[in-house]
Amino acid sequence: MTRMLSKITLWRTIVALIFAAGLYATYARFALGFARATHLTDPQPWGLWVGLGTLCGVGLSAGGFAIAAAVYLLGFERYRPVLRAAILVSFLGYSSVIAGMMYELGLPWRIWHPIIMWNRASVLFEVSWCVMLYSTVLALEFSPALVEKIPWIGLRTWYLKWHHEILVGLVMAGVVLSSLHQSFLGGLYLLTKGKLDPLWYSPYLTTMFYLSAIPAGLAVTVIALFFSVRSLDVKLDPRVFGEVSRVIAPLLAVYAIFRFVDLSKNGALHYLWMWREETLSFWLEIGLFVIIPLVLLNMPRVKNNPQSLYWTCATVVGGFMANRLNVSITGLQSSSGIYYVPKWTELVPTLMVLTAAVLAFRYAVIYLDIFPKNSAKIPSRLRWTITSTAAEA
Amino acid sequence: MERTRAILVDITKCIGCRSCEAACKQIHGFPAESEAKLSPTALTVIEEHNGKFVRKMCMHCQEPACASACLVGALKKTAAGPVTYDASKCIGCRYCLVACPFSVPHYEWTKLVPYVKKCDMCATRQANGQPPACVEACPTGASTVGWRHEILEEAERRILAGGYVKKIYGSEEAGGTSVFFVSDVPFEDLGFAAPPRQPMPLLTASALGDVPAVVLVGGGLLSGLYWITQRRQAVAMAEGNTPVATTSGKERR
């Protein structure tokens, strides 16, 4: 117990520091303006808040729709124990993206404008509607976890019955909406023809963004599960890690093939061997997102070990982030003619929002029924310990 | 159909007096001092390239990337030709800055309530029958305004008369613009951008056109999958088995 307390105090200090820095950055953004709070300029109008906050935030939240579809539409019951956690992660992810929008938009109090001011020719318009609708879908999908805790049984039963009626419809809507806006985030960059580096520009940016978001979203789900078991005292059948990770490898392979064919079709293959920053960033991205995970996920030692899977998934997430930052920043650097290095006040709000999301996840797991209670009954031969410290505590 | 306004800039006639800059700044109430590059307070500037004076301003594309990018429709190609900006709609997403192949829109980074700034070809003045302020101020006739087809004919006439590079910059850039340049020096040497030849909105049109198909086919496919899953579970139930057996599910029971 004392060990846990001391651990928490360390983390509390870090969290407090992040929040303090985040609050100052918030002050800088809103009281001093973009010029003082960011290194954004006309040639680089989208920086970390779009690249990291929006593109990574939405992409990494793709686990919810994939797991929900697997359980409800495909009947893969083996994912059910982690369904709520996956939906919660996605819901918090989208909430974070919307919170991040408040920093990114120049006039955030007008964030509702797209509801009544339409431009169907705009990819961003489609993205904004899909994100609005899908956030609502996620809130509804997650709502039973909160409603269950309402003490009035009549209201509870009524809501849960009503929820059950619309659930499959919600899940289907979630899949369609996610497919649309995950692709359209890539579609945003179709207009950068001639500006975006050939290693990333493609008429199939939409497909590329979609194919990469699903494995990345699943990787985040694995990370969240590991965090729950390791730090939140959740008992989970360890095989579920393997079940979720198992699909990541083929998804990454499909993406890799598609990416390679696309690069050769666009005549961009010779860029792969040029000595320049873009190419190095490209190989960092491909190494982290495709090559290392594909090798690791084919090793039996990794496949059957939750901790190894956790690190593999962290690599996938790192590679995914490299990809989104390459598209939004690195790939546009040479055409913009300026070298954008974000200011610390750009990074910190994103970090603060992420920390808040992790805290919210933690409290939800502690106070709500996110994981099934009976899953503690794990055959003893499969009982596992992630680290000796976690087991002792 | 070509009853839209256009501007012709003849680089051979520009003497670099910057009267256009001054007139533009005056009409918008911007500080008077000249700026080197386009900015939120300089919607047109004269740049010097290889001893030539090159005027920069919004190209007023026939099918503008910015207008197709703008999610709230704040940027619009008007029937009269100018591409205008409705500040009351703008949410400050800055996608127009990302989208513009000529790097024209500029953002008020230093302001707490920032808007996008770009030339609107003096749309209100033109609606009242007046020429754009910059054209009116030009003492040498380097900038002229007129109907788009007439302006294009005039540009061709000058090129055919000799002394010019055989190209009208703007006639095919980004699918065609409403601001044209003729020059006696190749445009590559004057710092002109080389954007794609097709109208920029075409780049996103096919993806956007897929939306109804994705919704219909996706919805149908998912319903089908759900039906199959339900059917399998019903059959399994009728046969007295546990619903669609999964290893982990079975063993946990």
Side-chain angles (χ1 to χ4, degrees):
Chain A
M1 197 61 205
T2 35
R3 277 174 50 98
M4 262 183 84
L5 272 180
S6 64
K7 213 161 146 191
I8 284 170
T9 319
L10 168 69
W11 283 106
R12 274 190 186 154
T13 320
I14 294 172
V15 167
L17 282 175
I18 290 176
F19 273 91
L23 288 178
Y24 171 75
T26 309
Y27 161 79
R29 162 66 188 87
F30 293 104
L32 307 176
F34 278 112
R36 299 277 299 279
T38 74
H39 284 159
L40 295 174
T41 51
D42 291 314
Q44 182 74 48
W46 281 358
L48 217 55
W49 286 333
V50 169
L52 194 63
T54 309
L55 296 187
C56 291
V58 171
L60 293 174
S61 306
F65 95 86
I67 302 267
V71 172
Y72 289 115
L73 305 181
L74 302 176
F76 293 161
E77 287 294 323
R78 56 179 177 272
Y79 295 125
R80 195 177 282 273
V82 300
L83 174 66
R84 267 200 182 170
I87 289 173
L88 175 61
V89 168
S90 294
F91 177 63
L92 292 172
Y94 278 81
S95 309
S96 307
V97 168
I98 293 168
M101 276 288 145
M102 297 298 155
Y103 294 86
E104 150 60 19
L105 291 179
L107 309 165
W109 52 92
R110 291 180 175 179
I111 194 168
W112 56 273
H113 273 195
I115 298 173
I116 57 161
M117 299 170 194
W118 288 26
N119 179 15
R120 297 284 308 282
S122 167
V123 178
L124 193 54
F125 173 78
E126 303 284 339
V127 170
S128 69
W129 264 85
C130 284
V131 169
M132 273 192 284
L133 292 175
Y134 186 54
S135 304
T136 313
V137 165
L138 279 170
L140 286 171
E141 279 181 354
F142 184 69
S143 60
L146 291 166
V147 173
E148 283 166 2
K149 299 291 173 189
I150 294 178
W152 308 297
I153 188 156
L155 178 64
R156 213 163 64 207
T157 328
W158 171 81
Y159 183 86
L160 293 178
K161 187 167 173 279
W162 171 80
H163 186 267
H164 187 74
E165 303 268 305
I166 62 160
L167 185 58
V168 170
L170 277 179
V171 173
M172 287 187 195
V175 174
V176 172
L177 290 167
S178 293
S179 306
L180 284 175
H181 73 265
Q182 293 290 359
S183 339
F184 280 165
L185 282 178
L188 290 176
Y189 289 88
L190 289 172
L191 277 176
T192 61
K193 190 177 183 184
K195 292 183 186 175
L196 185 59
D197 193 88
L199 285 177
W200 293 283
Y201 189 87
S202 153
Y204 294 99
L205 265 169
T206 45
T207 321
M208 233 59 84
F209 266 53
Y210 185 56
L211 290 180
S212 53
I214 301 173
L218 291 175
V220 168
T221 310
V222 170
I223 290 173
L225 296 178
F226 188 82
F227 169 70
S228 310
V229 172
R230 162 87 194 262
S231 310
L232 302 177
D233 219 15
V234 167
K235 302 280 181 293
L236 207 56
D237 186 336
R239 281 166 303 183
V240 81
F241 286 89
E243 296 284 7
V244 180
S245 310
R246 206 172 58 178
V247 271
I248 294 179
L251 288 171
L252 290 179
V254 168
Y255 170 78
I257 293 167
F258 209 91
R259 187 83 192 273
F260 181 78
V261 171
D262 185 60
L263 280 170
S264 63
K265 254 188 73 187
N266 297 336
L269 286 182
H270 62 282
Y271 287 98
L272 293 179
W273 316 111
M274 279 184 188
W275 184 254
R276 27 168 231 154
E277 200 194 323
E278 285 87 348
T279 304
L280 291 177
S281 303
F282 173 86
W283 282 113
L284 176 75
E285 165 197 328
I286 294 292
L288 288 175
F289 191 58
V290 177
I291 300 172
I292 297 176
L294 277 182
V295 170
L296 289 178
L297 287 170
N298 276 306
M299 290 162 54
R301 253 183 39 216
V302 173
K303 272 196 275 196
N304 300 320
N305 182 332
Q307 184 158 27
S308 309
L309 286 174
Y310 163 78
W311 285 110
T312 311
C313 287
T315 315
V316 171
V317 170
F320 177 85
M321 289 165 64
N323 171 259
R324 295 312 196 248
L325 292 173
N326 279 341
V327 170
S328 60
I329 295 170
T330 321
L332 289 165
Q333 206 107 267
S334 89
S335 65
S336 73
I338 58 141
Y339 198 84
Y340 165 77
V341 178
K343 203 167 178 171
W344 71 272
T345 38
E346 285 179 77
L347 178 64
V348 163
T350 312
L351 220 54
M352 178 173 71
V353 171
L354 181 69
T355 310
V358 172
L359 286 180
F361 181 83
R362 180 173 178 269
Y363 287 115
V365 169
I366 292 174
Y367 294 108
L368 304 173
D369 299 329
I370 302 300
F371 290 97
K373 285 203 173 97
N374 60 354
S375 63
K377 271 194 262 159
I378 299 164
S380 60
R381 65 186 167 86
L382 283 164
R383 202 163 289 149
W384 56 289
T385 52
I386 293 166
T387 62
S388 50
T389 47
E392 281 161 21
Chain B
M1 72 175 245
E2 285 272 319
R3 298 294 280 178
T4 63
R5 305 297 283 174
I7 288 177
L8 176 64
V9 180
D10 189 332
I11 288 171
T12 65
K13 291 189 178 180
C14 181
I15 54 167
C17 69
R18 300 178 200 271
S19 303
C20 48
E21 280 184 16
C24 179
K25 282 180 172 271
Q26 196 197 350
I27 206 163
H28 289 100
F30 296 147
E33 60 270 27
S34 175
E35 292 174 56
K37 296 273 173 199
L38 290 181
S39 83
T41 52
L43 309 186
T44 185
V45 293
I46 300 287
E47 288 180 8
E48 231 185 301
H49 291 274
N50 288 327
K52 295 280 171 185
F53 299 107
V54 180
R55 186 145 93 91
K56 296 277 168 185
M57 61 184 289
C58 174
M59 299 294 288
H60 299 279
C61 304
Q62 291 292 83
E63 292 179 57
C66 60
S68 85
C70 183
L71 79 167
V72 289
L75 289 152
K76 273 213 166 70
K77 176 78 176 175
T78 56
V83 177
T84 58
Y85 169 70
D86 181 350
S88 71
K89 287 185 172 177
C90 182
I91 66 172
C93 74
R94 314 186 295 286
Y95 189 24
C96 49
L97 276 78
V98 175
C100 177
F102 301 102
S103 310
V104 162
H106 282 69
Y107 203 60
E108 297 180 312
W109 298 104
T110 53
K111 298 207 172 168
L112 289 184
V113 182
Y115 292 103
V116 171
K117 291 284 175 178
K118 73 165 209 66
C119 155
D120 69 347
M121 221 203 258
C122 288
T124 34
R125 276 174 64 97
Q126 292 215 65
N128 297 327
Q130 289 172 286
C134 55
V135 174
E136 192 178 61
C138 184
T140 63
S143 291
T144 46
V145 68
W147 298 112
R148 191 173 184 270
H149 65 286
E150 287 172 7
I151 284 286
L152 271 170
E153 280 165 19
E154 173 60 25
E156 276 168 32
R157 220 173 0 254
R158 290 189 197 178
I159 290 174
L160 287 176
Y164 288 90
V165 176
K166 285 188 175 45
K167 175 175 172 59
I168 305 172
Y169 186 90
S171 59
E172 50 187 8
E173 277 69 21
T177 65
S178 300
V179 174
F180 302 107
F181 290 83
V182 289
S183 163
D184 52 350
V185 177
F187 290 99
E188 308 85 87
D189 302 339
L190 298 177
F192 277 82
R197 292 296 154 100
Q198 79 260 51
M200 303 293 283
L202 288 183
L203 295 169
T204 52
S206 76
L208 287 167
D210 290 342
V211 173
V214 169
V215 172
L216 286 175
V217 176
L221 209 68
L222 294 173
S223 308
L225 284 173
Y226 177 65
W227 183 82
I228 293 170
T229 304
Q230 288 294 95
R231 183 85 192 118
R232 279 171 61 194
Q233 284 179 350
V235 169
M237 207 85 102
E239 288 174 355
N241 296 328
T242 46
V244 189
T246 62
T247 45
S248 52
K250 242 183 198 168
E251 283 175 36
R252 196 176 301 137
R253 224 162 284 273

